[in-house]
Amino acid sequence: MKKNFLYIKNFHLSVVGFFLFFLSFLTFNYVTYFNNLVINRMTSVVNVIDNKLDNYHSTIDDLFNKNISDCSKSMIFFRKLRVSNPDIQSINIIKDDAIVCSSYPYIIGYKNRIENDTNIDLLMSDFLVPNKFILIIKKTKNKYSIVISVRDLTFTNLVKLSEGDLNFNINTDKFRVNSNGVDISNKTPDSILVHSDLYPFSISTNIPIYVYTKNFLQDKLEVLIVILFFMIVYLAFYFKFRNCINTTFLMENGLLNNEFIPFAQPIVNEKGIISGFEILIRWKRNNNIIYPSDFISIAEKNGMIIPITLSLFKSVYEMCVEYDSLIPKNTHLSINICPDHLSNSNSEGLIKVCKLFSVFNNINLVLEVTEGQVIEFDGIVEAVDTLKGYGVKFAMDDFGTGFSTIENIKKLKADIIKIDKQFIDLIKDEKSETAFVDNIIDLSKRLGVSIIAEGVETKEQEKYLLENNVEYLQGYLYSKPIPLNNLLDSYY
């Protein structure tokens, strides 16, 4: 059983590990996929800007092919260019580090602010759009330089259209500007950059976790639903059987530590004299007593009921050996078993422990077959006959509940019927509904089997049962279940 428990535990760990691995794998692949998607969008922005810059450089080349020394003629051409290219903010001709011609005549004569030969740069405007960035495209030929300034919105709007729920930024050697045209050069550098191969600028961004999460949930919703479904099914399975798994482990330790101990409740005859007792198992764990209702059903499901019951038989046998000389003759000793104990695969162990009791001349061993399981008679007939050969008697426990039938009594060759407490509780006064109890009593007489009434708690119940010739009584009216060694000390 311990191996089975470990297999189950390892299975759960494997399932959890698989889901974690699969989710991690899916997350990693999606992060990579989404990063590539963003990079492709940024690359598209870079390509569009490159094309625009190429066009501006072509415009400057066209200007150099004209007579730029004549400012009046150049200004006419400047105006036509600005009409056809509304993105262009100004066109300037520079000579000897001064503006000698411009589409804005009032800046003619001003000193040139572009101090290097960079063919593209971001500058803060002083005249045209104060405190706003403008893109500068510069080209020099002979003694002249032509400088075109482009509105920041030309590029920031392009970036804004492509960034979606991210923040794309434009970078040069000197500045970093966001899609609103705000200088963010003092901010922490972005982690993802796409550089232009033609011009000294790049587009950059950071991808926050919430963006990954949002897009992951949108793009992989179907996959997540499938994963969630299987997780719910698995968790339902796990929580349903968790107590069973944990209890199995505790039961195995309990067997090793002899935590399952025999209690006993006296059985009296019609004269009120103790004629025997029923063994009732208790689980003593950490000085606390756990009752059968809290673990027997689990033990029947996980198979622990077999080794636990056999362990109980051995404990009872050892105590009977100790008190053998004090126990009266014909003492009735009953122990509960489930039908599985009589199956071909389990009967050998049961027969072995029951055979031990054959050495006692003063004890009549009775096996009370519980009614919580269907009895498969094809597999137990041989075991029943063998046990009968050792003088073991059989009782149908809790008759009237579970799967008990008259046919079971016959096939099991039962010697005793036990009336369950729930029917004894119906005996309260003369008007009580006792028809079912009466039928069981009548049935026992017809079948020639003895009868024991369980759960007798009042004198009224005792009186009614004795008047109806019930031979044996058991219940709190006589004694609560107490440890077997205490009962033997008290009565013998």
Side-chain angles (χ1 to χ4, degrees):
M1 287 305 300
K2 192 164 187 177
K3 286 184 178 179
N4 291 338
F5 171 76
L6 290 175
Y7 290 151
I8 295 172
K9 183 179 180 181
N10 289 337
F11 170 76
H12 285 298
L13 292 175
S14 298
V15 171
V16 172
F18 171 77
F19 275 116
L20 291 176
F21 171 79
F22 181 74
L23 195 58
S24 299
F25 176 79
L26 189 66
T27 302
F28 173 78
N29 278 273
Y30 186 78
V31 168
T32 303
Y33 159 78
F34 191 73
N35 284 349
N36 290 333
L37 196 66
V38 171
I39 290 172
N40 288 337
R41 282 159 54 188
M42 294 167 66
T43 302
S44 297
V45 174
V46 168
N47 291 336
V48 172
I49 294 176
D50 281 346
N51 289 333
K52 282 186 173 291
L53 293 175
D54 286 340
N55 292 333
Y56 297 141
H57 277 279
S58 296
T59 300
I60 292 175
D61 289 336
D62 290 342
L63 287 172
F64 274 121
N65 293 329
K66 300 184 182 301
N67 183 12
I68 60 175
S69 61
D70 187 341
C71 185
S72 59
K73 292 182 178 179
S74 295
M75 289 180 67
I76 295 172
F77 188 66
F78 290 168
R79 283 193 289 271
K80 291 181 179 179
L81 276 177
R82 291 192 64 205
V83 171
S84 61
N85 294 279
D87 294 341
I88 296 176
Q89 189 161 270
S90 69
I91 306 170
N92 310 283
I93 299 175
I94 299 171
K95 182 182 179 183
D96 298 328
D97 208 27
I99 299 174
V100 296
C101 191
S102 175
S103 57
Y104 287 88
Y106 61 84
I107 68 171
I108 295 174
Y110 275 88
K111 181 179 174 58
N112 172 37
R113 290 187 60 219
I114 304 176
E115 299 176 354
N116 52 41
D117 294 328
T118 305
N119 63 358
I120 177 174
D121 206 349
L122 284 171
L123 291 179
M124 186 72 74
S125 176
D126 288 335
F127 304 105
L128 302 180
V129 280
N131 300 318
K132 288 287 186 179
F133 280 96
I134 56 175
L135 184 68
I136 301 298
I137 298 95
K138 174 187 175 185
K139 201 165 187 178
T140 302
K141 190 173 183 181
N142 298 326
K143 296 180 180 181
Y144 292 93
S145 294
I146 297 178
V147 175
I148 294 179
S149 66
V150 182
R151 304 173 190 276
D152 64 331
L153 292 177
T154 301
F155 299 101
T156 55
N157 286 344
L158 176 62
V159 168
K160 189 172 291 185
L161 287 172
S162 302
E163 65 185 4
D165 48 8
L166 297 171
N167 294 313
F168 284 0
N169 304 309
I170 305 173
N171 308 272
T172 67
D173 293 338
K174 295 179 180 178
F175 295 100
R176 184 154 62 104
V177 182
N178 65 18
S179 58
N180 294 316
V182 178
D183 181 16
I184 56 170
S185 301
N186 59 340
K187 302 284 186 181
T188 304
D190 295 329
S191 58
I192 301 177
L193 290 92
V194 175
H195 293 271
S196 168
D197 293 331
L198 303 175
Y199 300 100
F201 78 94
S202 64
I203 301 296
S204 65
T205 191
N206 282 321
I207 306 178
I209 293 177
Y210 79 87
V211 174
Y212 283 121
T213 305
K214 174 186 173 183
N215 286 273
F216 182 78
L217 292 175
Q218 291 175 346
D219 296 344
K220 300 296 182 181
L221 183 61
E222 297 85 356
V223 176
L224 289 175
I225 290 174
V226 173
I227 293 175
L228 184 61
F229 170 76
F230 281 107
M231 283 298 294
I232 291 173
V233 171
Y234 165 72
L235 289 174
F237 170 83
Y238 174 75
F239 284 110
K240 179 177 181 180
F241 294 100
R242 179 180 62 175
N243 290 336
C244 181
I245 294 168
N246 292 341
T247 305
T248 301
F249 179 71
L250 295 176
M251 285 178 180
E252 291 173 347
N253 285 335
L255 276 176
L256 294 175
N257 298 324
N258 297 316
E259 293 175 359
F260 296 97
I261 59 176
F263 272 50
Q265 187 175 35
I267 298 172
V268 302
N269 59 22
E270 67 275 9
K271 296 180 181 179
I273 299 173
I274 294 177
S275 61
F277 40 90
E278 178 184 359
I279 301 299
L280 301 167
I281 192 169
R282 298 291 186 268
W283 187 358
K284 188 175 182 181
R285 179 167 177 78
N286 298 327
N287 293 321
N288 295 315
I289 297 297
I290 303 174
Y291 290 87
S293 58
D294 294 325
F295 68 89
I296 287 296
S297 61
I298 296 175
E300 288 178 342
K301 290 177 182 177
N302 63 19
M304 288 299 295
I305 191 65
I306 304 299
I308 288 175
T309 303
L310 295 181
S311 172
L312 183 71
F313 268 91
K314 293 175 183 177
S315 297
V316 173
Y317 169 76
E318 290 171 358
M319 291 187 187
C320 288
V321 169
E322 183 179 351
Y323 288 86
D324 182 30
S325 60
L326 302 176
I327 298 175
K329 287 186 177 182
N330 297 320
T331 295
H332 175 110
L333 174 64
S334 63
I335 302 177
N336 288 287
I337 64 169
C338 67
D340 277 349
H341 283 92
L342 298 169
S343 66
N344 291 333
S345 58
N346 297 317
S347 61
E348 183 178 350
L350 179 64
I351 293 171
K352 186 176 180 180
V353 293
C354 289
K355 188 177 179 180
L356 295 174
F357 287 85
S358 62
V359 301
F360 301 116
N361 296 320
N362 48 353
I363 293 177
N364 297 322
L365 180 63
V366 179
L367 300 181
E368 295 188 10
V369 182
T370 57
E371 291 296 301
Q373 298 176 345
V374 176
I375 302 177
E376 300 291 344
F377 285 100
D378 292 341
I380 71 170
V381 173
E382 184 179 347
V384 170
D385 289 341
T386 302
L387 290 165
K388 286 275 189 179
Y390 289 114
V392 176
K393 295 183 178 181
F394 284 87
M396 293 298 299
D397 194 22
D398 304 328
F399 187 77
T401 65
F403 297 97
S404 59
T405 64
I406 297 175
E407 191 68 19
N408 287 354
I409 295 175
K410 293 180 178 179
K411 290 186 176 181
L412 191 62
K413 303 176 183 178
D415 305 280
I416 302 168
I417 292 176
K418 298 193 74 174
I419 307 176
D420 189 69
K421 181 181 183 298
Q422 64 177 300
F423 303 118
I424 302 302
D425 288 340
L426 298 175
I427 305 172
K428 295 179 181 179
D429 51 50
E430 294 181 356
K431 297 180 181 180
S432 297
E433 298 179 3
T434 59
F436 196 87
V437 175
D438 295 339
N439 286 336
I440 295 176
I441 295 172
D442 182 64
L443 175 65
S444 68
K445 292 177 181 177
R446 292 175 181 274
L447 295 176
V449 298
S450 299
I451 190 166
I452 299 176
E454 292 185 296
V456 180
E457 296 181 348
T458 67
K459 285 292 184 179
E460 290 78 8
Q461 292 170 346
E462 180 187 54
K463 179 182 178 183
Y464 182 87
L465 293 166
L466 292 177
E467 287 177 351
N468 284 274
N469 300 315
V470 174
E471 301 130 294
Y472 301 102
L473 309 176
Q474 176 185 348
Y476 278 21
L477 181 62
Y478 312 106
S479 174
K480 294 182 179 180
I482 60 176
L484 177 58
N485 57 336
N486 292 349
L487 184 144
L488 294 173
D489 285 334
S490 300
Y491 292 97
Y492 306 125

